Amino acid sequence: MPEIKVTPLGAGQDVGRSCILVSIGGKNIMLDCGMHMGYNDDRRFPDFSYITQNGRLTEFLDCVIISHFHLDHCGALPYMSEMVGYDGPIYMTHPTKAICPILLEDFRKITVDKKGETNFFTSQMIKDCMKKVIPLNLHQTVQVDDELEIKAYYAGHVLGAAMVHIKVGSESVVYTGDYNMTPDRHLGAAWIDKCRPDILISESTYATTIRDSKRCRERDFLKKVHESIERGGKVLIPVFALGRAQELCILLETFWERMNLKAPIYFSTGLTEKANHYYKLFITWTNQKIRKTFVQRNMFEFKHIKAFDRSYADNPGPMVVFATPGMLHAGQSLQIFKKWAGNEKNMVIMPGYCVQGTIGHKILNGQRKLEMEGRATLDVKLQVEYMSFSAHADAKGIMQLIRMAEPRNMLLVHGEAVKMEFLKGKIEQEFSINCYMPANGETTTVTTNPSVPVDISLNLLKREMALGGTVCYGDGFLVSSEQALKELGLNEHQLRFTCRVQLQDPHSDPDTLHRIYTHLKSVLKGYTIQHLPDGTVMVESIVIKVSSSAEDPNTKVLLLSWSYQVTFLRC
Amino acid sequence: MKLYCLSGHPTLPCNVLKFKSTTIMLDCGLDTTSVLNFLPLPLVHSPRLSKLPGWVSKDGTINLEKELKECAGRVFVDSQPEFCLPERELLDLSTIDVILISNYHCMMALPYITEHTGFTGTVYATEPTLQIGRLLMEELVNFMERVPKAQSATCWKNKEIQRMLPGPLKDAVEVWTWKRCYSMQEVNSALSKVQLVGYSQKVELFGAVQISPLSSGYSLGSSNWIIQSHHEKVSYVSGSSLLTTHPQPMDQSSLKNSDVLILTGLTQMPTANPDGMLGEFCSNLAMTIRAGGNVLVPCYSSGVIYDLLECLYQFIESANLGTTPFYFISPVANSSLEFSQIFAEWLCHNKQTKVYLPEPPFPHAELIQTNKLKHYPSIHGDFSSEFRQPCVVFTGHPSLRFGDVVHFMELWGKSSLNTIIFTEPDFSYLDALAPYQPLAMKCVYCPIDTRLNFHQVSKLLKEVQPLHVVCPEQYTQPPLSQSHRSDLMLELQPPPMPYRRCSVLNLPFRRRYERVYILPELANSLVPSEIKPGTSVATVSAVLHSKDNKHTLQPPPAPPTKKRKRVIEEPPVVLAPKPLLSGAVPLEAFLATLQKHGISEVKVEETADGHILHLQAEDTLIQLEEDGTHIVCDNNEPLRSPERCKLEGN
């Protein structure tokens, strides 16, 4: 029986360093290659030694597919391809291909330049890695080789996020990456057709949330910013160049427009144009509304948001500043933070995860006194807020996707074990399909039962549609038995059985036969029974003859004759 | 399998393919050359046009003064321009299941087909094709609607009268079916039926056939189509290009192994080299500007114009044209320029790389930013106040019969300093200019047609080797004007099947096989026996289950148990499976098997056709012949079974 094997190297009952190995129809595929933000040691990257102990991965993997540009899905890619060693194809969508190297470079800078780590991938390695990337278009069927084909579907979540359908022969797997089933401010909802995969591998970040509260969080965010501005405070939002920054910009831009607010919004320099440009150029990946109106008004050309100059930080009055980097560990965001930290009217909003050791991480943990370089300490008096804006499918959304794709089995990754357990129960109950949730390094094996495709001769098909009967099968072709014999140069072989039954009956032969005939007629209803003039009785195709024994005319010998095919009838 | 040909225009095709119970329309081209028979529609009142004399036949018997006007010896219809639609009588258009669009130029007749014909199907196109196609339709509607013409000329269409008219009116075909332009409402309704597809996407139609668009390299989102089942493959090649301009390169290898290849949309300018034409375009443009004249470029608002602008971007500085204003005037100019920048996935590799930087893929963004190129929705409004001469104007429509170009013809036509440069190959420039004669303005003809030429196409066909080629009849003979150029036609073996408007072709197809799926339960029960090395045979007894054009073989239902006298819920009537025996029984092996089963007293008797075996202990006769075996015995089931088994083994 053919099998599909799924082994998470990361994201098995966990969030972070997504990396899932799939073996299907003799092909090995790696889905995502992320890093874990919460670790600084070896656990940061997936354990590639699971694949092979010695050396390069190229011969063990047929392809690598990256679902989207978040680092927990692509952060380990240059490490895997350049340091462990993989030269095969890497697939990702165009926006992911464009944005992923920028985030990788940012990440590299933090790790190497700031924290002084060695044995990490270099800028050149990021470039070399990206050279191995083949861009994917939505819905395009990409033939990785003669047997393996992949197809990307829109996943929402972030710009360029995709779900992938992986197919070998009649077996298939869908991997969702991160997705969102409701359209948000700049992205559309995930969609997939009824592809009936053998396994649907889904993220389950919000496995227990029934209604995604993103709208509420947005309202919360706006309220906090607004209140701060109202009382004359300054709001600092540390962000990374791409992704969340644009979403929050749209949020504030529309809010400013609606509320007719005058306080300036700044975006730290060097980023604005460039980052927003990606969104303008990939506008086809955003939601319907933005796409429809982009000629008249490009949502990523912000009217209220202006470029920041460092001198503005000292300007009196309220303002909102987006500044990089997002974890307050260096650069402009840190400089501004230092300037504003002492005033309780001000506020810093952290819209994303912060790595341990960064100032962002410290203040989120409630630390109010920070040691700065040169033994100085910084009193943190401003308000600190944390807000997650990531767009994931909630339990309802996950169920909706299952209804869309109609998988035969379900496999959960990218979530917490307890929440998965809950969702698993719900899925098994509602859809009566198996639901798996392997831990990292644990292999789930699903047995598939594919139909066997064969080619039937058209004549036969047309005939059989009307009749039904026997056909012959060889070399993957179905033909009529006559044709099969002809093509193979064989003759049909007739096999008949004749059975002698003796019975005592004083009547003449024809009379005996007639009595048998009438008897059969009364017993075997619903069968064709004929009394033929040549002195035989036929029951369907069974021939019955009567003759007298030479010695004793009262002993009749009944000859029953039937063909081999009839024996099947009797069974 | 049949092909119905609804358009006679080789580059604006409209064919319908009937294949495996699906009816597929291939492209929906609108033949706009008919508008050349009409007077131009001026944006502002033109004294010259309104003073043109009416036409009266020489003998004075036919007076069509109101409908027909004469200009420089040619007669034009004074009416809203009309288009020659695809044939609508050849088959019932409401039976069409899907329409496949290959590029935005080949979808302009869509509203005529999808509206008011009972069409209920789906249109498939790529996203750029849909978006730019919508712009072109919007532009066309806008051109027509902003200068409404009350009168609609019909008298001249009378067969008797048309016969008497001077050419080319006299020879115009199907004039009764010509139609005025559709409305925006009809455009929106038609385009709402479009389903977007990506290159190499496989779309199943009713489970019977699979369609897939392939990059054709001609324009943004342009595609060729593969229409195939498991055993048959039709390729539809329309408007393809091997030149490296802005679109993604043509996918040639996927066209291989086609049973039939339908070939349309070859270059209309087989003798003009696009690169040479581009050079000529630039030098003529520079020359005119230097001499203080204006340059008018009649063009479509998408397509080659992107390449022209890119070429000018590089050329402007070196030719010292840095201060010359370039204007692009069209109701959709802005949209077209904006849309061109957002289709990174559909662009050639070089342009894709730019998007990763991120920079706009086309340099016209920079031309606009530096104010070298300005775009306006029409000559009215801002343009009239900002307009400086000498300048270069890109505007439509290339037929010179409507759109802002008409205004510039009237404005600049009288000065020999000015130049009109034709770059679009769809219209004969002499015909286009006819209603403006006499003209003082210089005319330069540099048609840029990047579609495949005959040399390229024969190389392509050699490469992909279709069994049969179908093409417009125009491609099977050299052009009329160059009848000696046998290199300007398709020469193939076997010769291509030509079609013309209203042809119905029977495509040479023999469908022999169909795909069925054997359910795993049934497949497991099969017992293949090897007949010769590499060939195994098994008999299959199954129930054929057909749904949505997908056939599966399921195990036959278990026969009803004998005890049940009457089966209330009758399962579908299953005819008894007939097992199959073949070959002959080898005597020696058979005897050996009998021995194995404890039957050793066998008397073998030779007959004419084979042998008779007498199993003495069992009082059984077995007649072995080449093609049959007969076993005669007393009622002795245990004995028959092993014999049967042995025979089944063969």
Side-chain angles (χ1 to χ4, degrees):
Chain A
M1 278 290 177
E3 292 175 335
I4 303 177
K5 287 186 178 161
V6 182
T7 314
L9 296 187
Q13 303 181 4
D14 185 19
V15 178
R17 61 162 193 192
S18 283
C19 184
I20 295 138
L21 297 179
V22 171
S23 296
I24 173 172
K27 306 285 168 183
N28 296 316
I29 299 125
M30 180 186 284
L31 301 168
D32 279 338
C33 191
M35 58 128 206
H36 204 301
M37 288 283 198
Y39 297 116
N40 284 333
D41 51 21
D42 282 350
R43 288 172 295 174
R44 176 165 54 202
F45 293 138
D47 180 13
F48 296 114
S49 65
Y50 178 91
I51 302 171
T52 172
Q53 290 289 344
N54 30 17
R56 305 175 67 79
L57 305 176
T58 313
E59 58 181 298
F60 299 96
L61 292 175
D62 291 279
C63 74
V64 173
I65 304 170
I66 301 296
S67 65
H68 64 284
F69 62 62
H70 279 159
L71 289 176
D72 58 334
H73 292 261
C74 68
L77 194 58
Y79 171 76
M80 192 273 300
S81 76
E82 306 311 307
M83 298 176 76
V84 181
Y86 169 72
D87 298 320
I90 301 169
Y91 292 94
M92 55 177 84
T93 66
H94 283 273
T96 308
K97 185 183 175 189
I99 294 168
C100 165
I102 296 170
L103 296 184
L104 286 171
E105 181 60 29
D106 266 7
F107 172 52
R108 191 195 68 80
K109 272 191 196 146
I110 297 171
T111 327
V112 176
D113 299 354
K114 181 69 191 167
K115 299 209 223 131
E117 280 188 39
T118 49
N119 192 24
F120 204 73
F121 54 79
T122 63
S123 292
Q124 189 54 44
M125 285 178 181
I126 298 176
K127 283 187 190 129
D128 292 342
C129 165
M130 293 314 288
K131 281 185 196 141
K132 298 171 183 168
V133 171
I134 303 170
L136 270 179
N137 294 336
L138 283 183
H139 300 168
Q140 173 193 12
T141 310
V142 175
Q143 215 70 46
V144 176
D145 57 36
D146 286 343
E147 288 146 351
L148 173 62
E149 63 178 48
I150 58 177
K151 180 177 176 182
Y153 291 91
Y154 191 79
H157 187 62
V158 289
L159 195 76
M163 308 192 274
V164 275
H165 182 238
I166 300 143
K167 194 176 156 204
V168 180
S170 54
E171 297 174 278
S172 66
V173 169
V174 168
Y175 173 60
T176 63
D178 290 356
Y179 65 105
N180 186 13
M181 294 300 285
T182 44
D184 67 12
R185 243 158 244 286
H186 70 300
L187 298 167
W191 179 86
I192 196 162
D193 51 26
K194 196 166 287 186
C195 50
R196 297 193 176 100
D198 291 299
I199 309 177
L200 173 63
I201 304 173
S202 171
E203 65 135 330
S204 51
T205 322
Y206 292 159
T208 52
T209 322
I210 292 306
R211 201 176 66 88
D212 183 13
S213 49
K214 192 167 179 221
R215 294 255 153 188
C216 303
R217 277 178 277 144
E218 284 176 359
R219 249 200 314 276
D220 232 29
F221 167 77
L222 291 172
K223 206 173 119 208
K224 277 178 184 146
V225 172
H226 193 198
E227 279 168 4
S228 206
I229 296 293
E230 288 283 277
R231 61 172 182 259
K234 296 177 169 58
V235 181
L236 172 65
I237 308 173
V239 287
F240 282 104
L242 278 150
R244 206 126 309 146
Q246 281 67 33
E247 197 184 335
L248 295 179
C249 282
I250 295 179
L251 199 61
L252 285 187
E253 170 90 4
T254 39
F255 188 67
W256 251 237
E257 187 97 27
R258 197 173 74 223
M259 303 297 282
N260 201 15
L261 296 179
K262 293 285 177 276
I265 309 174
Y266 297 113
F267 208 112
S268 69
T269 42
L271 272 176
T272 354
E273 278 303 300
K274 197 179 168 190
N276 292 344
H277 227 102
Y278 280 113
Y279 282 78
K280 284 192 228 168
L281 294 172
F282 287 114
I283 208 108
T284 52
W285 286 79
T286 59
N287 69 27
Q288 199 76 30
K289 194 178 143 205
I290 296 183
R291 280 158 61 180
K292 258 202 156 139
T293 53
F294 93 100
V295 175
Q296 291 79 42
R297 162 140 174 61
N298 196 319
M299 278 290 253
F300 298 99
E301 270 163 25
F302 302 113
K303 264 198 283 181
H304 296 274
I305 300 169
K306 294 173 192 77
F308 183 75
D309 184 283
R310 66 173 58 196
S311 65
Y312 296 172
D314 298 320
N315 285 359
M319 67 174 84
V320 179
V321 176
F322 289 95
T324 56
M327 299 185 196
L328 283 181
H329 50 268
Q332 205 149 35
S333 63
L334 185 60
Q335 281 172 13
I336 300 170
F337 177 76
K338 282 186 199 161
K339 275 196 173 141
W340 294 357
N343 192 335
E344 61 273 11
K345 275 202 286 183
N346 296 343
M347 184 190 284
V348 60
I349 300 179
M350 309 296 300
Y353 185 87
C354 290
V355 169
Q356 221 170 20
T358 60
I359 293 197
H361 188 259
K362 285 175 188 158
I363 60 167
L364 279 180
N365 280 335
Q367 209 169 320
R368 284 291 169 177
K369 273 198 195 307
L370 300 173
E371 287 137 49
M372 292 306 182
E373 307 89 81
R375 276 174 289 133
T377 53
L378 182 68
D379 280 326
V380 181
K381 288 186 180 152
L382 51 45
Q383 289 183 60
V384 179
E385 297 285 348
Y386 173 74
M387 235 163 243
S388 160
F389 286 97
S390 53
H392 292 279
D394 59 1
K396 209 176 103 200
I398 295 170
M399 304 299 256
Q400 202 181 334
L401 189 80
I402 299 176
R403 262 185 290 272
M404 269 184 172
E406 291 189 0
R408 294 190 181 89
N409 295 279
M410 189 72 193
L411 192 145
L412 300 176
V413 294
H414 199 281
E416 293 161 37
V418 188
K419 295 181 177 179
M420 279 184 181
E421 202 71 61
F422 170 79
L423 185 65
K424 172 174 145 74
K426 268 191 74 159
I427 291 170
E428 291 183 328
Q429 187 194 344
E430 189 167 337
F431 298 100
S432 322
I433 55 174
N434 288 326
C435 183
Y436 305 92
M437 38 176 283
N440 287 338
E442 188 188 320
T443 301
T444 296
T445 306
V446 168
T447 316
T448 58
N449 213 356
S451 301
V452 181
V454 291
D455 296 324
I456 184 168
S457 90
L458 207 60
N459 289 337
L460 180 67
L461 180 70
K462 283 183 179 159
R463 205 172 76 195
E464 295 307 314
M465 277 173 149
L467 289 171
T470 309
V471 286
C472 246
Y473 151 62
D475 278 356
F477 285 97
L478 257 178
V479 295
S480 64
S481 40
E482 302 88 62
Q483 192 182 341
L485 289 176
K486 205 174 138 202
E487 282 178 13
L488 294 167
L490 295 171
N491 294 321
E492 186 167 0
H493 193 87
Q494 300 290 343
L495 173 59
R496 284 195 80 79
F497 297 98
T498 301
C499 176
R500 294 181 298 251
V501 181
Q502 298 196 351
L503 50 91
Q504 295 296 320
D505 188 70
H507 298 88
S508 72
D509 293 358
D511 283 353
T512 309
L513 191 64
H514 190 75
R515 281 162 59 97
I516 290 169
Y517 171 68
T518 26
H519 177 70
L520 287 175
K521 206 66 179 166
S522 65
V523 175
L524 298 172
K525 295 248 163 64
Y527 289 88
T528 336
I529 301 171
Q530 291 164 286
H531 191 171
L532 298 176
D534 65 346
T536 57
V537 166
M538 281 191 80
V539 179
E540 301 283 322
S541 62
I542 302 170
V543 183
I544 303 172
K545 273 187 189 172
V546 173
S547 58
S548 305
S549 158
E551 299 101 57
D552 176 10
N554 284 347
T555 305
K556 301 286 188 259
V557 178
L558 221 63
L559 288 173
L560 283 162
S561 181
W562 67 94
S563 76
Y564 166 63
Q565 277 87 352
V566 176
T567 52
F568 273 77
L569 265 182
R570 309 193 324 155
C571 303
Chain B
M1 160 139 34
K2 277 186 172 177
L3 188 73
Y4 298 77
C5 310
L6 311 187
S7 162
H9 197 301
T11 30
L12 297 167
C14 184
N15 296 314
V16 175
L17 178 72
K18 286 205 178 192
F19 176 33
K20 271 192 83 177
S21 75
T22 56
T23 306
I24 302 171
M25 179 177 270
L26 306 169
D27 273 332
C28 208
L30 183 65
D31 188 349
T32 45
T33 51
S34 57
V35 302
L36 292 174
N37 296 297
F38 292 79
L39 266 195
L41 289 179
L43 277 173
V44 289
H45 178 75
S46 156
R48 183 188 71 87
L49 286 173
S50 58
K51 275 186 216 142
L52 289 177
W55 180 82
V56 181
S57 66
K58 282 212 180 80
D59 53 8
T61 50
I62 307 171
N63 185 337
L64 286 177
E65 274 183 319
K66 287 226 168 66
E67 290 198 350
L68 303 179
K69 306 282 179 194
E70 228 175 324
C71 177
R74 291 271 285 263
V75 176
F76 297 93
V77 182
D78 186 11
S79 168
Q80 183 102 38
E82 293 177 340
F83 306 118
C84 179
L85 310 194
E87 184 61 44
R88 292 190 293 176
E89 303 300 322
L90 200 59
L91 84 165
D92 181 0
L93 295 179
S94 70
T95 62
I96 288 171
D97 298 311
V98 294
I99 304 180
L100 310 183
I101 303 295
S102 57
N103 62 69
Y104 46 75
H105 287 300
C106 291
M107 64 187 282
M108 299 301 277
L110 207 52
Y112 295 116
I113 303 292
T114 62
E115 308 306 299
H116 319 300
T117 59
F119 172 80
T120 55
T122 310
V123 183
Y124 288 96
T126 62
E127 179 159 19
T129 300
L130 170 68
Q131 302 298 1
I132 297 173
R134 181 193 296 278
L135 295 182
L136 293 182
M137 288 180 173
E138 200 180 311
E139 182 185 51
L140 197 64
V141 173
N142 195 297
F143 282 160
M144 294 293 181
E145 286 184 350
R146 72 186 177 191
V147 278
K149 226 173 174 144
Q151 100 155 334
S152 185
T154 50
C155 295
W156 70 275
K157 291 183 179 178
N158 184 309
K159 263 200 187 112
E160 289 309 305
I161 295 176
Q162 195 200 353
R163 223 159 37 88
M164 312 293 289
L165 300 179
L169 267 186
K170 185 174 71 178
D171 308 315
V173 291
E174 313 270 347
V175 294
W176 274 108
T177 65
W178 290 10
K179 281 273 181 313
R180 305 173 74 162
C181 190
Y182 32 74
S183 68
M184 208 50 218
Q185 197 194 348
E186 286 167 312
V187 170
N188 287 331
S189 170
L191 296 184
S192 70
K193 295 168 178 128
V194 175
Q195 171 96 43
L196 295 182
V197 284
Y199 287 148
S200 309
Q201 182 176 345
K202 293 173 181 170
V203 180
E204 290 278 333
L205 299 183
F206 318 107
V209 295
Q210 189 185 60
I211 55 168
S212 184
L214 307 174
S215 177
S216 76
Y218 169 59
S219 62
L220 270 175
S222 70
S223 32
N224 293 322
W225 290 86
I226 300 290
I227 301 134
Q228 63 185 340
S229 63
H230 285 289
H231 298 283
E232 300 87 15
K233 177 169 172 180
V234 180
S235 297
Y236 174 56
V237 174
S238 164
S240 302
S241 176
L242 292 172
L243 295 181
T244 335
T245 57
H246 57 272
Q248 217 182 84
M250 178 181 179
D251 178 352
Q252 299 178 60
S253 57
S254 305
L255 299 171
K256 278 182 186 164
N257 303 321
S258 308
D259 295 289
V260 172
L261 187 142
I262 303 168
L263 180 69
T264 67
L266 299 184
T267 178
Q268 304 184 77
M269 295 297 146
T271 51
N273 172 313
D275 280 330
M277 289 293 132
L278 208 54
E280 237 175 88
F281 168 79
C282 287
S283 62
N284 277 294
L285 183 141
M287 233 153 44
T288 308
I289 297 291
R290 274 191 214 110
N294 299 295
V295 176
L296 179 61
V297 187
C299 61
Y300 292 115
S301 38
S302 180
V304 177
I305 182 161
Y306 303 143
D307 301 318
L308 291 180
L309 291 175
E310 181 153 7
C311 175
L312 287 173
Y313 170 80
Q314 292 153 359
F315 179 72
I316 285 174
E317 294 309 321
S318 65
N320 233 341
L321 298 172
T323 54
T324 312
F326 286 77
Y327 300 116
F328 175 20
I329 303 169
S330 156
V332 298
N334 186 26
S335 301
S336 166
L337 294 172
E338 288 286 339
F339 268 112
S340 66
Q341 307 286 21
I342 65 159
F343 292 125
E345 287 99 320
W346 310 88
L347 293 172
C348 63
H349 185 257
N350 272 345
K351 297 223 174 308
Q352 266 179 16
T353 335
K354 284 184 108 179
V355 176
Y356 295 152
L357 293 177
E359 274 171 26
F362 286 97
H364 54 240
E366 198 183 321
L367 287 175
I368 296 168
Q369 221 165 32
T370 53
N371 262 329
K372 290 192 172 96
L373 173 68
K374 292 185 175 186
H375 53 83
Y376 301 91
S378 86
I379 53 164
H380 302 299
D382 290 347
F383 176 72
S384 45
S385 53
E386 290 170 21
F387 172 52
R388 281 188 298 120
Q389 301 194 62
C391 63
V392 180
V393 170
F394 296 88
T395 189
H397 184 271
S399 66
L400 306 188
R401 291 305 180 271
F402 42 84
D404 301 274
V405 72
V406 176
H407 180 73
F408 289 99
M409 285 306 294
E410 296 288 333
L411 189 69
W412 292 343
K414 290 165 215 85
S415 164
S416 60
L417 279 179
N418 302 327
T419 307
I420 178 170
I421 310 181
F422 290 89
T423 55
E424 299 288 354
D426 283 2
F427 301 93
S428 138
Y429 79 108
L430 289 174
D431 289 341
L433 288 171
Y436 298 97
Q437 298 293 1
L439 269 179
M441 151 189 239
K442 274 201 294 288
C443 301
V444 178
Y445 189 51
C446 338
I448 299 171
D449 196 333
T450 57
R451 284 173 278 218
L452 295 176
N453 61 34
F454 287 100
H455 175 67
Q456 291 165 325
V457 83
S458 53
K459 215 174 131 198
L460 172 76
L461 291 175
K462 237 177 237 152
E463 194 81 8
V464 304
Q465 300 213 319
L467 288 184
H468 301 278
V469 174
V470 178
C471 69
E473 62 175 357
Q474 288 93 330
Y475 298 160
T476 58
Q477 63 221 20
L480 281 178
S481 52
Q482 288 151 301
S483 50
H484 61 288
R485 295 285 299 266
S486 60
D487 56 329
L488 300 184
M489 60 180 278
L490 272 183
E491 272 184 298
L492 299 171
Q493 222 32 263
M497 301 175 63
Y499 74 80
R500 60 170 72 168
R501 192 179 166 102
C502 290
S503 296
V504 179
L505 303 184
N506 272 312
L507 298 185
F509 239 99
R510 265 191 59 212
R511 290 190 49 222
R512 292 179 55 205
Y513 288 104
E514 180 67 273
R515 179 58 56 95
V516 295
Y517 294 89
I518 300 185
L519 284 194
E521 302 88 289
L522 177 63
N524 285 337
S525 73
L526 297 182
V527 191
S529 54
E530 198 167 32
I531 292 292
K532 47 190 164 192
T535 310
S536 295
V537 171
T539 57
V540 181
S541 300
V543 175
L544 180 70
H545 184 82
S546 295
K547 187 184 170 193
D548 297 339
N549 287 312
K550 289 264 179 277
H551 312 291
T552 46
L553 289 179
Q554 303 177 344
T561 47
K562 281 171 194 164
K563 278 177 196 157
R564 260 196 298 176
K565 292 245 160 91
R566 294 180 63 191
V567 186
I568 298 161
E569 272 178 58
E570 201 74 45
V573 178
V574 183
L575 289 179
K578 289 189 203 145
L580 179 73
L581 296 176
S582 63
V585 180
L587 179 69
E588 293 308 317
F590 184 59
L591 287 174
T593 315
L594 287 175
Q595 189 122 35
K596 235 194 270 169
H597 283 88
I599 302 166
S600 47
E601 277 181 74
V602 180
K603 211 177 103 193
V604 181
E605 203 178 300
E606 224 164 297
T607 64
D609 301 318
H611 299 88
I612 292 176
L613 281 63
H614 191 201
L615 282 57
Q616 284 163 330
E618 292 78 11
D619 193 17
T620 296
L621 279 177
I622 301 178
Q623 219 175 326
L624 284 183
E625 282 170 15
E626 186 68 28
D627 55 357
T629 300
H630 194 171
I631 302 173
V632 184
C633 62
D634 288 335
N635 196 1
N636 188 347
E637 182 66 34
L639 178 66
R640 275 195 297 271
S641 307
E643 284 165 5
R644 197 172 80 201
C645 292
K646 173 59 201 155
L647 287 162
E648 273 170 11
N650 288 291

